[in-house]
Amino acid sequence: MSETIRTRYAPSPTGRMHVGNLRSALYEFLIAKHEGGAFLLRIEDTDQERYVEGAVDIIYRTLETAGLLHDEGPDKDGGFGPYVQSERMKTGIYMEYAKKLVEKGEAYYCFCDKERLESLRTEVVEGKEIMLYDKHCLGLSRAEVEEKLAAGVPFVIRQNIPNEGTTTFHDELYGDITVENAELDDMILIKSDGYPTYNFANVVDDHTMNITHVVRGNEYLSSAPKYQRLYDAFGWESPVYIHLPLITDETHKKLSKRSGHSSFEDLLEQGFLPEAVVNYIALLGWSPEENREIFTLDELIEQFDYRRISKSPAVFDYTKLKWMNGEYLKAMDPERFFELAEPYLRAVIHRDLDLKKIAAMVQTRIEIFPDIAEHIDFFEALPEYDAAMYTHKKMKTTAETSLAVLCDVLPLLEAQEDYSNDALYALLGGYVAEKGVKNGYVMWPLRTAVSGKQMTPGGATELMELLGKDESIARIKAGIAKLGGNV
Ligand code: GLU
């Protein structure tokens, strides 16, 4: 293809960025970047009723955090502006093109009022009740139209779709799709407030901005034949269409707000890393040639081939996303890990402990940051625990053996000044050798006493190093008391 690839992400500013929207944006970005083309941002704000204050900022923030930097957009003029539809409208572009269609007989003015429209028959198409306009105003003469316009009668402009014949369009995933024209509504192109509908504006804009590939959710498939008719009416070549399959939750229902993780911002608030979310979303419907799952954005750019997008519904698997996030955390530079983990560590630990060391202990054990709390809460305060925890079959420990060990090592630990992990390990190693027992026989009761937990991010001596001498001794004494010993 000699033509430069140009793709666009065209969100309507209606709130947070849904996972499905982010996937469209990501695929658009990857298609463009894979071929060295341009990725545009266009704000589709023609539906004033759905407009949400602040939503445009969310779009900018999300694209930036996700690393999907646009080459052209409202804040980056590439010579195809304006890039906001309400501003494009002011240039008169939509009305100008709508009038061209009226001239060609492909569109017409409609002056029907609400009452008349409400009295029209409706039809159920694809489960949705839609009104098929009866072309009443197509019968108006040119003079009648001029007269009404001059009198200021409110109007819309509708697409004129014949009742006979068929329309065919091509989608990269679904192939050629042919529909009966009789099923297509004479949709509104220009609304009574003068704004274009999304349906019309997206065609005019994609053409005038030289867009070559359009990626969007397959909820737009049913409108695509009407867009195709507009392209044909203008004599324009339509872009390559890629309608993406639905994203469902684990129960195969459409991913909705109720799932709690349907937007990018929800996921970040839950402690996910942007790069892990982007990586995961890339795989919701696309698979690389090789059997591999972890990709940086640059690697995705290199590998991405839209011909490998699947048309079967993609399941958003939260457990899998968590696993992937954990892989990113494990591979992360420890400095950066600490920086990001620090607020989560501080939320739990208020004592003067070496948080860097604690961070290093948990880095390979968590999947998302909020998991940190359950791994480290015992550092802050010894939890309530059951004496039965001292009994461990494999370590061959019981309450009695544990009590004996704790009582034996207590004076050694009281006499010890150096509480570094290595020094403590050597000290206890001496005791283990002297008694001729297994390591675990000593370490299990000690770790239980200092943590009160069955699982900890480090061994007994590592925990004692972090807790320090006084706290370690206090906890061991509490353990002895719990086991019925005297201290
Ligand atoms: N403004 C539409 C939306 O947010 C964009 C659809 C498209 O990409 O054409 O759903």
Side-chain angles (χ1 to χ4, degrees):
M1 204 180 276
S2 58
E3 170 190 35
T4 325
I5 301 283
R6 288 171 62 84
T7 62
R8 89 306 194 264
Y9 175 50
S12 304
T14 55
R16 291 191 158 191
M17 206 156 140
H18 195 273
V19 164
N21 292 334
L22 184 59
R23 180 182 57 169
S24 298
L26 175 61
Y27 287 5
E28 298 259 18
F29 173 84
L30 294 175
I31 290 172
K33 296 293 142 183
H34 183 73
E35 303 273 345
F39 172 62
L40 282 70
L41 173 63
R42 183 174 74 225
I43 303 293
E44 304 207 320
D45 60 347
T46 58
D47 193 344
Q48 296 291 299
E49 278 163 30
R50 287 177 65 221
Y51 184 82
V52 173
E53 200 63 39
V56 174
D57 292 334
I58 295 180
I59 293 165
Y60 280 120
R61 207 165 53 227
T62 303
L63 290 179
E64 194 177 341
T65 311
L68 310 183
L69 304 181
H70 51 279
D71 302 293
E72 293 175 30
D75 56 341
K76 250 185 170 180
D77 190 10
F80 290 84
Y83 293 83
V84 178
Q85 283 182 336
S86 58
E87 287 171 29
R88 291 176 80 71
M89 186 195 97
K90 291 185 196 131
T91 69
I93 181 173
Y94 305 117
M95 192 57 101
E96 180 194 320
Y97 279 109
K99 283 183 178 161
K100 281 188 189 167
L101 289 178
V102 172
E103 287 308 309
K104 289 171 187 277
E106 296 282 347
Y108 57 96
Y109 288 92
C110 169
F111 301 93
C112 290
D113 59 19
K114 223 169 128 211
E115 284 73 41
R116 173 151 204 286
L117 293 174
E118 276 166 5
S119 71
L120 293 175
R121 73 186 172 98
T122 58
E123 210 165 275
V124 178
V125 176
E126 287 179 2
K128 267 191 262 163
E129 193 171 46
I130 61 156
M131 192 260 315
L132 289 174
Y133 182 65
D134 63 357
K135 292 185 183 288
H136 175 77
C137 289
L138 188 59
L140 296 174
S141 69
R142 208 182 175 113
E144 283 169 315
V145 170
E146 295 300 337
E147 196 181 310
K148 283 183 192 288
L149 289 177
V153 180
F155 68 89
V156 299
I157 297 181
R158 290 183 183 275
Q159 185 176 14
N160 181 18
I161 299 179
N163 285 329
E164 298 81 38
T166 58
T167 299
T168 300
F169 74 98
H170 183 77
D171 176 272
E172 277 301 303
L173 306 185
Y174 295 85
D176 280 342
I177 297 186
T178 300
V179 297
E180 295 289 333
N181 290 338
E183 281 176 16
L184 302 176
D185 173 39
D186 278 3
M187 68 175 179
I188 296 177
L189 306 177
I190 301 285
K191 295 185 274 190
S192 56
D193 61 5
Y195 275 89
T197 54
Y198 157 76
N199 291 320
F200 186 51
N202 93 89
V203 169
V204 171
D205 290 345
D206 285 342
H207 174 75
T208 53
M209 292 176 155
N210 285 357
I211 299 301
T212 58
H213 295 67
V214 168
V215 179
R216 60 181 157 219
N218 67 7
E219 67 268 26
Y220 289 99
L221 260 185
S222 57
S223 309
K226 296 187 244 183
Y227 306 152
Q228 187 61 50
R229 293 194 64 84
L230 292 174
Y231 280 101
D232 293 345
F234 283 120
W236 296 340
E237 195 188 327
S238 54
V240 173
Y241 280 125
I242 301 161
H243 288 92
L244 299 176
L246 196 69
I247 301 177
T248 72
D249 62 16
E250 285 97 335
T251 64
H252 301 285
K253 293 208 186 73
K254 188 176 172 187
L255 195 64
S256 72
K257 271 202 185 124
R258 249 177 311 138
S259 70
H261 44 258
S262 63
S263 83
F264 186 61
E265 294 208 326
D266 288 343
L267 293 169
L268 297 193
E269 279 163 13
Q270 286 161 30
F272 285 96
L273 296 166
E275 56 269 42
V277 176
V278 169
N279 186 159
Y280 181 70
I281 286 179
L283 302 177
L284 281 177
W286 172 81
S287 55
E289 223 164 305
E290 49 179 331
N291 186 14
R292 170 181 159 197
E293 292 181 306
I294 306 288
F295 292 94
T296 63
L297 195 55
D298 282 340
E299 288 165 344
L300 284 172
I301 290 173
E302 202 191 301
Q303 302 267 329
F304 197 79
D305 176 356
Y306 68 79
R307 291 167 198 90
R308 294 187 59 86
I309 297 175
S310 152
K311 62 177 185 226
S312 39
V315 180
F316 187 93
D317 181 345
Y318 195 70
T319 312
K320 177 93 187 263
L321 171 61
K322 275 177 90 169
W323 166 82
M324 189 172 276
N325 199 72
E327 294 302 299
Y328 272 82
L329 291 179
K330 280 187 199 122
M332 191 178 271
D333 165 61
E335 284 294 322
R336 178 162 178 242
F337 179 84
F338 175 64
E339 224 171 85
L340 297 174
E342 201 180 349
Y344 295 88
L345 295 164
R346 290 207 184 278
V348 179
I349 297 179
H350 304 100
R351 304 155 55 111
D352 185 20
L353 298 181
D354 187 338
L355 294 186
K356 273 203 173 159
K357 275 201 180 140
I358 296 180
M361 269 184 176
V362 296
Q363 181 164 1
T364 55
R365 292 165 199 267
I366 60 165
E367 291 188 324
I368 51 174
F369 288 118
D371 290 349
I372 285 179
E374 66 186 86
H375 287 281
I376 64 163
D377 50 3
F378 69 90
F379 280 113
E380 177 68 7
L382 184 65
E384 272 303 320
Y385 68 97
D386 198 63
M389 232 195 266
Y390 284 99
T391 305
H392 194 293
K393 216 169 149 199
K394 213 172 131 213
M395 307 291 179
K396 297 199 167 50
T397 61
T398 63
E400 288 74 43
T401 68
S402 297
L403 178 59
V405 164
L406 293 182
C407 288
D408 272 359
V409 298
L410 181 62
L412 304 178
L413 290 167
E414 279 176 325
Q416 174 76 5
E417 285 312 320
D418 182 355
Y419 259 62
S420 66
N421 177 29
D422 290 346
L424 289 171
Y425 201 80
L427 174 76
L428 294 166
Y431 174 79
V432 165
E434 188 194 309
K435 290 277 165 187
V437 291
K438 287 255 169 66
N439 236 5
Y441 188 80
V442 175
M443 297 303 184
W444 180 262
L446 261 179
R447 194 172 63 103
T448 304
V450 297
S451 71
K453 295 196 98 164
Q454 209 112 37
M455 298 227 287
T456 57
T461 53
E462 285 173 277
L463 303 185
M464 285 160 70
E465 174 186 274
L466 281 161
L467 289 166
K469 180 170 176 178
D470 293 350
E471 182 66 18
S472 300
I473 298 287
R475 290 184 180 198
I476 292 166
K477 284 185 174 167
I480 292 175
K482 190 181 273 285
L483 291 165
N486 294 318
V487 279

